Amino acid sequence: MKNIVNTEMAPSAIGPYSQGVNIGDFIFFSGQIPLDPKTGDMVENDIKVQTKQSLENVKALLNDQGLDFSNVVKTTVFLDNMDDFAAMNEVYSNYFVAPFPARSAVAVDKLPKDALVEVEVIAYKG
């Protein structure tokens, strides 16, 4: 049985998708761009600020499900520019501790709302 994640603590979906889907012991969360969940507006156009907001949105989704970053088993980071990798990684490293989740990081042509970064995670509840 699948259960849908829906919380006001993170930005609402901006399209026909759910914030997350829970199947068994896994929750697949949609990618989080750096929108302020209170206003729906994009935060400052700075990779560090945007990475922090994206991860704060992930944190809100995890917390809504009684989880934290230690439950994350896989992340995917989408960057508008791979030159931002080191700055993103500096902020990212403040949210995860060993043992680290698996991760992919890729540069893409464009992200929704012209975001500089998007972060999606898969969490394990077990």
Side-chain angles (χ1 to χ4, degrees):
M1 173 174 224
K2 74 179 179 181
N3 296 307
I4 302 302
V5 175
N6 186 17
T7 179
E8 293 180 5
M9 301 299 286
S12 299
I14 58 173
Y17 61 88
S18 299
Q19 290 173 318
V21 178
N22 178 14
I23 305 247
D25 286 337
F26 289 94
I27 303 178
F28 300 84
F29 291 102
S30 293
Q32 293 298 302
I33 60 174
L35 296 176
D36 180 322
K38 293 178 182 151
T39 65
D41 294 332
M42 186 72 64
V43 298
E44 182 182 338
N45 193 32
D46 173 90
I47 188 61
K48 288 184 178 182
V49 172
Q50 288 201 7
T51 300
K52 182 177 190 297
Q53 185 62 56
S54 294
L55 288 166
E56 286 296 317
N57 293 343
V58 168
K59 181 180 178 181
L61 290 171
L62 290 166
N63 289 169
D64 180 72
Q65 298 297 300
L67 306 174
D68 60 34
F69 284 99
S70 69
N71 294 98
V72 175
V73 295
K74 171 72 169 81
T75 68
T76 304
V77 178
F78 302 95
L79 293 166
D80 181 59
N81 184 337
M82 194 52 81
D83 291 341
D84 289 335
F85 181 82
M88 174 280 299
N89 211 41
E90 183 181 325
V91 175
Y92 179 98
S93 67
N94 293 319
Y95 286 83
F96 294 94
V97 297
F100 300 108
R103 181 179 83 181
S104 301
V106 297
V108 296
D109 184 47
K110 192 168 181 150
L111 289 166
K113 297 191 175 264
D114 294 321
L116 301 177
V117 63
E118 179 173 359
V119 180
E120 72 176 24
V121 303
I122 301 170
Y124 180 69
K125 300 186 310 182

